[in-house]
């Protein structure tokens, strides 16, 4: 499984926002459904809080797709 970097311009970013930005969710409702179904992991652990604050280097996965938070300078 390859992890792709998804650039963000400022920390922190919430999990729900990042799922949409990284194209892991189609929209906010889809992001909420994925999180509620416990299909989202952050750094290998199931995350159930849509408002979870993500930091540079955090890895978010949905199924076989992984995306890493990459802070742009």
């Amino acid at each position: 499984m390859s992890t792709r970097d998804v650039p963000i311009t400022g920390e922190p970013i919430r999990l729900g926002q990042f799922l949409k930005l990284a194209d892991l969710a189609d929209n906010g409702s889809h992001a909420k459904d994925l999180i509620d179904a416990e299909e989202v992991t952050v750094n290998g652990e199931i995350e159930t809080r849509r408002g979870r604050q993500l930091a540079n280097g955090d890895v978010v996965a949905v199924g076989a797709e992984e995306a890493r938070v990459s802070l742009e300078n």
Side-chain angles (χ1 to χ4, degrees), residues 16-68:
Q17 291 175 305
F18 185 76
L19 287 169
K20 292 182 287 182
L21 180 67
D23 291 326
L24 295 173
D26 298 330
N27 52 46
S29 176
H30 185 220
K32 180 182 184 308
D33 291 345
L34 290 170
I35 293 166
D36 288 347
E38 298 186 354
E39 293 181 28
V40 178
T41 63
V42 176
N43 301 327
E45 298 188 6
I46 293 173
E47 182 54 69
T48 58
R49 298 169 295 163
R50 191 168 73 178
R52 157 84 184 259
Q53 302 287 309
L54 301 175
N56 189 41
D58 283 344
V59 175
V60 177
V62 176
E65 290 190 73
E66 283 188 352
R68 180 185 301 112

